[in-house]
Structure formats: C-alpha cells, structure tokens
Amino acid sequence: MKVTLTFDNGPTAPVTAQVLDVLARHRIRSTFFVVGENLKQAENRAVAERAAAEGHWIGNHTLTHTVQFGDTDDPRVPEREIGEAQRLIGELAHPDRLFRPYGGGGVLDRRLLSPAAVAYLQQNAFTTVLWNSVPHDWDDPDGWTERCLADVATRDWSLVVLHDLPTGAMDHLPRFLAGLHTLDADIVQDFPPHCVPLHRGRLEHSIGHLLPC
C-alpha cells in the first residue's frame, strides 16, 4: 500500500512550520500546493522556502482559492489564477510546474476545470495533480485521522489532501502517521498516475467529467 501526502491552502507560517517539523522527524517528503496570495507575506514565503530546501515539492493551488474554473466564463481567469500564482512561486516551483485546481469541498466534478483553463495548462506545460482521498480535516479537525486511515486502507495507492491551516487538525498529524505505520503503508512523494491527467501539458487521461457540459 502506498500513500502520498499533500498539503493545500497554505503556507500559513506557524502551522506549515509545525507540519515540516513532524515530517522531518519521520523523514517524509510531501508536496505543498500553495495559494499564491499567501506568499506575499514574508513569513509565509520563508516557510515555503524552508519546505523546498528540505526536499518537499511546491505546487500551484491558484492565486486566490476562490474561483472554480467551471463556474466562470471569464477568459482572463486562468492567467490570473494560475499564471500569477506561478510567478509568485517563482524559483520554488517544481520543474514539472505542478498545479492543483480549487475544488470546493474536495469534489471532483464538472466545476473543477474549464476549456480555457485546460488550454492554459497545456500551453504552459503544467502538470495537473488531483486526488483520491479527502478526509475533511478542515471541517473535522479532531476526527479526520480515523476517517483517512480507513479510507487509505481501501486502495493500493492513495493521494491524500490535507491542509496546513490553523484549524488544529495538524496537531493530529503525528497520530495519523503512526496509524499509517501500523498499516505498513509506504509513504512516497510521487503521485499515482491516475491522479495526474495532464503531465507537462500533455493529456494523459480523459478529463471530460471535470469540464462543464
């Protein structure tokens, strides 16, 4: 059983630093999908730099985390939400230009992408990373660990979405990692191929179910 850990919506300096401390103790490397606007604060930028220096990958999770591409017809949105965030990430970016779209509630549905967003991602050689395990740590900060452990036990390779936000959820990260150890899970940094529909701009899997009708 493999498990890939990813952290969305940060960086938020104190919490992201707490996560990095825990991951370092366990010698685990992960990916942080950052919200571009958060990097405008010096302390958040510094903790993102620390993450990259410690071998974690830095990905793009849009500029504002407020717009699902399938909910807008504005052709300027992909450049603003993807392009501007990537410029803020700058030299911290993974060579594959990792991108994770904003999906409300972690739902993979027809609001996730748009033809304009896909065209932008292809033209600019982004790698789109989705997910298959969302334990809702943001709205159940104390109960997410058991839910996630039960979920990852159901498949060969889980890509888990957690959030380095000040909800208290990451206080339970050590307990979650201990549970993964009990399950004899192999925690890896790579992504399961079925969660990567676009690789460096090349379409790898059908995404029709993620586009508006």
Side-chain angles (χ1 to χ4, degrees), residues 163-177:
H163 298 79
D164 46 330
L165 295 174
T167 63
M170 292 302 96
D171 292 343
H172 302 292
L173 183 59
R175 181 159 56 92
F176 175 62
L177 297 180

Side-chain angles (χ1 to χ4, degrees), residues 28-88:
I28 293 169
R29 291 182 177 177
S30 63
T31 301
F32 289 84
F33 286 96
V34 303
V35 174
E37 284 193 335
N38 291 346
L39 295 175
K40 295 178 180 179
Q41 300 178 30
E43 62 271 28
N44 290 339
R45 177 80 189 187
V47 78
E49 291 173 351
R50 174 190 164 187
E54 293 181 2
H56 302 283
W57 295 341
I58 306 297
N60 180 333
H61 194 35
T62 75
L63 178 67
T64 66
H65 199 262
T66 60
V67 182
Q68 292 192 103
F69 293 115
D71 287 339
T72 178
D73 295 324
D74 187 342
R76 299 167 296 179
V77 167
E79 164 60 29
R80 182 177 71 243
E81 288 292 322
I82 304 171
E84 182 58 27
Q86 196 69 19
R87 284 186 284 276
L88 286 165

Side-chain angles (χ1 to χ4, degrees), residues 1 9 20 37 78 81-82 122 149-150 162 168 173 177 187 200 210:
M1 176 197 308
N9 295 24
L20 289 172
E37 284 193 335
E81 288 292 322
I82 304 171
Q122 290 182 308
L149 290 169
L162 301 176
L173 183 59
L177 297 180
I187 303 176
R200 295 191 175 186
L210 304 175

Side-chain angles (χ1 to χ4, degrees), residues 3-19:
V3 175
T4 301
L5 301 180
T6 62
F7 297 86
D8 285 12
N9 295 24
T12 53
V15 180
T16 306
Q18 173 189 3
V19 169

